[in-house]
């Protein structure tokens, strides 16, 4: 999401001062109306990496989208690129479906063309649907027929490694045959603390007149609809845009109950995304899990020292290790009993400023005044 201009709050984009202190890459490179894919990220990120290395620097890759990081690390599948003729043909074949917003019929069309997995695509992900059809027309086979480099890499590893893998291993052993010498860390905290910080972060993003709702309003103002492309499918923006559309229809009116429903939905979607991230990275064997609840200066010092260790052996000390799974009955019980506890939005009065902002953003249309003169 940080690739999109104007979407700063929902993506936690680095501030101008932070970007001035440390050069960042792939920020603000796209308009929100443009699609972005894992394939394009691979090309962009690999080019940025080469540029950094050419300057004699060490690139630091950060993010949380597992598939994007997997492609960046292990490589992309050798899928054929569609010719301009095939691309134009695919656009023409799916154009009417998209104009009618008939997603199900478009999926059935691609399934009939040869990709049964199209039924599992996220709704309205038209880019992915078009790309699937392009691959079928270019190669005669669906995207799933092309093996990911990650799969062959994982086959070379000992698949008997337990889930709570913290085995000390040399980076040479784990990153053999990769294009770069990767040293990978996954920072997390206990699930309850993670969920609590996520809930607070969602509140922060909804606070004030320049938060994520203002950015969602801008997306609507430039003609985008929720869940219609990469930017508008993002958590926070989709929910915010749907909420604002309802408010706009009523001349900026929203009840406190409706706002709290938005907040709850936003928080739940964000927690579910974090849960999926944890599940994904449990299956990534080259990541060392670190406890992000520890003092950040100590965490960073450990990473720095590990990078400069000539032995290339990463040994995470016990005090910094993060377990991959909930391992105690107490943790399990706390997780089951977890309920959001807001700190900003607690009572109806706490969202009064936002209600005022909504009325100013979407003033009710005035009825025309008619008068007759005799």
């Amino acid at each position: 999401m940080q690739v999109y201009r104007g979407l700063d709050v929902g993506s936690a984009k680095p501030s101008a001062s932070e970007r001035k202190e440390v050069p960042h890459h792939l920020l603000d490179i796209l308009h929100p109306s443009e699609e972005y894919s894992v394939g394009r990220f691979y090309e962009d990120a690999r080019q940025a990496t080469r540029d950094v290395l050419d300057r004699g620097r060490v690139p630091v890759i950060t993010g949380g989208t597992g598939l994007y990081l997997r492609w960046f690390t292990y490589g992309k599948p050798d899928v054929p690129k569609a010719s301009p003729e095939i691309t134009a043909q695919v656009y023409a074949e799916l154009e009417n479906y998209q104009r009618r917003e008939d997603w199900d019929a478009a999926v059935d069309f691609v399934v009939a063309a040869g990709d049964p997995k199209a039924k599992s695509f996220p709704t309205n992900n038209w880019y992915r649907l078009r790309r699937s059809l392009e691959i079928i027309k270019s190669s005669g086979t669906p995207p799933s027929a092309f093996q990911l480099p990650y799969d062959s890499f994982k086959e070379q590893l000992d698949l008997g490694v337990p889930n709570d893998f913290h085995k000390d291993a040399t980076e040479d052993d784990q990153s053999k045959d990769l294009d770069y010498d990767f040293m990978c860390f996954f920072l997390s905290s206990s699930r309850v603390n993670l969920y609590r910080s996520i809930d607070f972060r969602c509140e922060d993003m909804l606070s004030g007149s320049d938060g994520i709702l203002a950015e969602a309003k801008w997306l609507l103002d430039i003609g985008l609809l929720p869940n219609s492309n990469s930017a508008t499918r993002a958590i926070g923006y989709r929910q915010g845009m749907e909420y604002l559309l309802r408010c706009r229809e009523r001349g900026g009116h929203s009840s406190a109950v409706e706002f709290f429903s938005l907040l709850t939905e936003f928080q739940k979607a964000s927690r579910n995304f974090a849960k999926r991230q944890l599940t994904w990275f449990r299956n990534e064997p080259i990541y060392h899990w670190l406890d992000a609840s520890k003092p950040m200066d100590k965490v960073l010092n450990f990473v720095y020292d590990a990078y400069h260790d000539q032995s290339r052996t990463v040994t995470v000390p016990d005090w910094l290790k993060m377990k991959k799974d909930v391992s105690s009955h107490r943790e399990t019980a706390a997780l089951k009993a977890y309920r959001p506890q807001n700190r900003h939005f607690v009572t109806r009065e706490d969202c009064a400023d936002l209600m005022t902002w909504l009325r100013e953003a979407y003033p009710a249309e005035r009825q025309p005044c008619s008068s007759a003169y005799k």
Side-chain angles (χ1 to χ4, degrees):
M1 286 303 296
Q2 293 185 344
V3 299
Y4 289 114
R5 295 186 290 273
L7 305 187
D8 303 339
V9 175
S11 66
K13 199 173 293 179
S15 65
S17 60
E18 290 172 331
R19 294 163 69 172
K20 185 177 181 180
E21 183 177 358
V22 178
H24 288 69
H25 303 269
L26 307 190
L27 301 184
D28 299 331
I29 62 174
L30 294 177
H31 187 272
S33 62
E34 299 179 81
E35 290 282 2
Y36 201 61
S37 67
V38 61
R40 182 168 176 183
F41 169 79
Y42 173 86
E43 299 295 343
D44 292 344
R46 284 297 185 104
Q47 182 59 56
T49 298
R50 289 190 290 269
D51 293 343
V52 173
L53 291 173
D54 287 345
R55 297 197 301 270
R57 301 290 185 174
V58 178
V60 178
I61 317 299
T62 64
T65 305
L67 181 62
Y68 282 48
L69 291 175
R70 180 176 289 180
W71 276 42
F72 177 84
T73 304
Y74 300 98
K76 66 176 183 177
D78 190 21
V79 178
K81 186 175 181 179
S83 67
E85 293 77 17
I86 288 179
T87 298
Q89 183 182 357
V90 167
Y91 264 93
E93 291 179 349
L94 295 180
E95 182 180 13
N96 288 333
Y97 293 111
Q98 187 169 6
R99 189 187 312 114
R100 297 195 307 266
E101 298 182 359
D102 196 347
W103 170 257
D104 291 337
V107 168
D108 290 341
F109 179 81
V110 175
V111 169
D115 187 3
K117 292 192 175 182
K119 285 187 175 294
S120 64
F121 292 175
T123 302
N124 290 331
N125 193 332
W126 293 97
Y127 173 86
R128 188 171 177 185
L129 201 64
R130 288 192 296 268
R131 183 63 184 132
S132 174
L133 192 55
E134 287 177 354
I135 294 172
I136 292 171
K137 289 181 177 293
S138 300
S139 66
T141 56
S144 57
F146 296 88
Q147 186 180 39
L148 291 171
Y150 166 80
D151 295 332
S152 58
F153 175 86
K154 195 171 183 181
E155 289 174 1
Q156 300 175 27
L157 299 176
D158 179 8
L159 299 182
V161 174
N163 256 355
D164 57 343
F165 171 67
H166 286 298
K167 180 181 177 182
D168 296 336
T170 64
E171 294 299 316
D172 289 337
D173 289 339
Q174 292 197 38
S175 58
K176 59 182 178 181
D177 299 328
L178 298 180
D179 293 338
Y180 298 106
D181 183 13
F182 290 98
M183 181 174 288
C184 304
F185 300 95
F186 181 79
L187 277 67
S188 188
S189 56
S190 71
R191 188 82 66 83
V192 170
N193 289 339
L194 176 63
Y195 284 178
R196 187 75 64 205
S197 64
I198 288 172
D199 289 338
F200 288 162
R201 165 74 177 143
C202 290
E203 279 194 283
D204 291 340
M205 286 191 279
L206 286 170
S207 299
S209 60
D210 56 353
I212 195 171
L213 283 181
E215 295 181 351
K217 179 181 182 299
W218 175 63
L219 292 175
L220 291 172
D221 290 344
I222 62 177
L224 297 177
L225 293 175
N227 205 32
S228 61
N229 70 347
S230 299
T232 59
R233 279 192 296 269
I235 295 173
Y237 291 104
R238 178 177 64 81
Q239 291 86 353
M241 294 172 74
E242 292 171 347
Y243 171 73
L244 290 176
L245 282 176
R246 295 191 294 270
C247 295
R248 188 171 70 181
E249 291 173 356
R250 299 196 299 267
H253 174 75
S254 171
S255 68
V257 172
E258 291 170 318
F259 173 76
F260 277 103
S261 177
L262 163 67
L263 173 59
T264 299
E265 183 184 1
F266 185 16
Q267 291 171 326
K268 182 179 179 180
S270 300
R271 293 195 303 270
N272 286 341
F273 179 71
K275 185 178 180 180
R276 292 194 299 272
Q277 283 182 309
L278 293 170
T279 300
W280 180 283
F281 282 99
R282 286 192 192 102
N283 296 313
E284 290 286 357
I286 67 172
Y287 282 81
H288 302 275
W289 282 44
L290 306 181
D291 188 347
S293 69
K294 302 301 181 182
M296 190 51 60
D297 60 332
K298 293 185 177 181
V299 175
L300 294 177
N301 285 338
F302 169 77
V303 172
Y304 178 86
D305 292 340
Y307 175 78
H308 288 282
D309 186 349
Q310 297 298 319
S311 70
R312 306 300 293 162
T313 300
V314 178
T315 304
V316 181
D318 290 340
W319 65 268
L320 189 55
K321 286 181 180 179
M322 184 68 214
K323 295 180 179 179
K324 292 187 176 184
D325 294 302
V326 177
S327 58
S328 70
H329 293 298
R330 178 179 296 181
E331 288 179 280
T332 302
L335 195 56
K336 289 183 177 180
Y338 178 82
R339 297 294 183 275
Q341 295 178 356
N342 299 332
R343 57 181 178 181
H344 297 317
F345 299 109
V346 181
T347 68
R348 298 169 62 91
E349 289 72 22
D350 295 330
C351 56
D353 289 341
L354 268 175
M355 300 298 103
T356 300
W357 176 82
L358 284 170
R359 290 190 294 272
E360 293 174 348
Y362 297 114
E365 294 184 5
R366 296 181 178 179
Q367 296 299 319
C369 179
S370 61
S371 59
Y373 293 94
K374 297 182 179 179

